[in-house]
Amino acid sequence: MKLKGINSSSKKTKNIIKEYFGELLKEKKEISNITVTELCKRANITRGAFYSHYDNIYAIAEEIESEIQELALSNVKKISSKDDIKYFLNTLFKYIKENESFYKKALQSNDPIMFINRLSKKFFAVFENNLITNNKDFDITIHFCADGAAILLIKYFRGDNKFSLDYIKNYLCETLEKLL
């Protein structure tokens, strides 16, 4: 991202760019099939406005990924209770739910699978570095939960499963609580 000081107009422009990026990603199926010109035309912004916020199309996806990772990792403390797990998952899923329309568009493509894989690794790192447990199956359980949750989210946003975001979050929370 290029601009450091973001005013309300800049935030609005970035949100518009992200919204149309998601629509184009759903249509084109791959980030590499989207051009800056096409995005600017669709979003009704100038190329200058785009380049004042992003260096290229991939920077949009990177920023979205960074936002999610920052949210997921913010305020993470040692996870030593069921309440700590619930707090972490509630925070993460609240953000996902607030951005549901974007994810429903963006996760129709194949590119976000790599994004979700990176998110899964970050999710694992949060629990690996912060969960206080003596469970000998910790590693495999966390990998299973992180990867499973990522796939369930992809399927949810593609409309390929019957589970709600709340159901996925609650199931994940119950499963992780068993590690304590």
Side-chain angles (χ1 to χ4, degrees):
M1 175 175 69
K2 291 182 168 187
L3 291 177
K4 298 293 182 199
I6 302 291
N7 60 32
S8 62
S9 177
S10 292
K11 286 180 186 178
K12 182 178 176 183
T13 301
K14 289 180 79 153
N15 287 336
I16 289 169
I17 290 170
K18 289 176 188 176
E19 182 70 23
Y20 285 101
F21 172 76
E23 286 183 13
L24 285 168
L25 192 54
K26 181 178 178 181
E27 290 173 23
K28 302 288 186 170
K29 304 294 184 202
E30 307 290 333
I31 294 174
S32 61
N33 294 334
I34 301 171
T35 66
V36 171
T37 300
E38 181 178 33
L39 176 61
C40 290
K41 184 176 180 181
R42 183 79 63 96
N44 197 26
I45 61 169
T46 65
R47 289 173 61 84
F50 175 87
Y51 285 115
S52 69
H53 296 289
Y54 300 102
D55 291 326
N56 55 46
I57 289 292
Y58 292 94
I60 302 167
E62 290 170 12
E63 181 176 279
I64 294 166
E65 179 178 349
S66 293
E67 287 172 357
I68 291 173
Q69 289 175 4
E70 183 178 318
L71 173 76
L73 300 174
S74 67
N75 300 319
V76 174
K77 55 184 177 179
K78 295 295 180 195
I79 300 170
S80 59
S81 72
K82 292 177 182 182
D83 288 338
D84 294 340
I85 291 171
K86 286 179 184 174
Y87 175 78
F88 170 72
L89 292 176
N90 282 333
T91 303
L92 179 62
F93 275 78
K94 179 182 176 201
Y95 179 84
I96 290 169
K97 192 177 266 188
E98 287 171 354
N99 294 281
E100 187 169 347
S101 69
F102 171 79
Y103 290 113
K104 282 187 176 178
K105 294 171 192 160
L107 291 175
Q108 296 296 317
S109 79
N110 293 326
D111 290 304
I113 293 172
M114 293 180 284
F115 161 79
I116 293 293
N117 186 40
R118 289 189 295 272
L119 182 60
S120 174
K121 288 178 182 178
K122 292 287 186 179
F123 180 86
F124 177 81
V126 166
F127 280 93
E128 181 180 47
N129 295 328
N130 295 293
L131 185 66
I132 301 168
T133 183
N134 294 322
N135 188 313
K136 66 179 178 73
D137 293 323
F138 169 80
D139 282 359
I140 194 166
T141 303
I142 292 296
H143 277 294
F144 184 80
C145 289
D147 293 348
I151 295 302
L152 284 173
L153 287 171
I154 289 172
K155 288 183 174 187
Y156 169 81
F157 287 115
R158 289 183 174 185
D160 292 341
N161 74 28
K162 62 182 180 181
F163 307 115
S164 69
L165 284 176
D166 286 333
Y167 186 87
I168 294 168
K169 177 190 69 175
N170 292 335
Y171 184 81
L172 186 58
C173 188
E174 289 170 15
T175 303
L176 291 171
E177 286 175 353
K178 293 175 185 175
L179 284 175
L180 296 176

